[in-house]
């Protein structure tokens, strides 16, 4: 049995293409992205410092951190631009009707 649980992120209509938004939770904040109509969820906190990636800029399929402009691949969490070198965690996403959910631990 999986210990994953479905966590509501937002409505599909809440997030336009190329946007990212913050979802706060006790276990660590998450960022939800709409990349060309596909939704993705990652940890919100940059692996380089204390920045919130939800305050960053979606550039193509990457998120640019607002603090030192490091980059991550949104789909995989891979660090793709300096000074970031440590990946961020990503979470599977399901869409049910107009609702976006992440599968979290
Ligand atoms: Fe994100 Fe430095 S805190 S690049």
């Amino acid at each position: 049995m999986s210990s994953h649980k479905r966590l509501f992120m937002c409505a599909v209509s809440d997030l336009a293409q190329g946007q990212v938004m913050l979802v706060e939770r006790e276990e660590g904040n998450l960022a939800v992205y709409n990349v060309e109509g596909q939704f993705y969820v990652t940890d919100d906190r940059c692996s380089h410092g204390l920045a919130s990636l939800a305050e960053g800029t979606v550039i193509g399929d990457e998120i640019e951190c607002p603090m030192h402009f490091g980059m991550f691949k949104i789909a995989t969490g891979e660090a793709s631009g300096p000074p970031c070198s440590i990946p961020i965690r990503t979470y599977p996403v399901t869409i049910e009707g107009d609702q976006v959910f992440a599968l979290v631990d």
Side-chain angles (χ1 to χ4, degrees):
M1 258 232 0
S2 156
S3 60
H4 285 71
K5 65 175 188 230
R6 257 158 88 260
L7 190 68
F8 175 70
M9 295 283 106
C10 63
V12 168
S13 55
D14 287 340
L15 201 58
Q17 292 194 16
Q19 291 195 332
V20 54
M21 85 182 216
L22 175 69
V23 176
E24 292 183 274
R25 74 174 183 142
E26 269 177 31
E27 302 87 336
N29 292 344
L30 300 176
V32 54
Y33 309 80
N34 178 345
V35 179
E36 295 179 358
Q38 289 272 76
F39 287 80
Y40 299 95
V41 174
T42 72
D43 278 338
D44 177 59
R45 168 127 170 235
C46 183
S47 61
H48 180 252
L50 290 174
S52 164
L53 294 174
E55 293 172 12
T57 306
V58 175
I59 301 173
D61 64 353
E62 295 172 293
I63 178 71
E64 181 187 65
C65 178
M67 193 170 296
H68 310 109
F69 310 109
M71 308 274 290
F72 298 93
K73 292 279 188 194
I74 292 168
T76 63
E78 175 196 344
S80 53
C84 300
S85 58
I86 301 165
I88 51 171
R89 190 159 170 205
T90 61
Y91 300 85
V93 170
T94 61
I95 308 285
E96 293 170 34
D98 182 44
Q99 301 194 315
V100 180
F101 294 89
L103 296 177
V104 299
D105 296 334

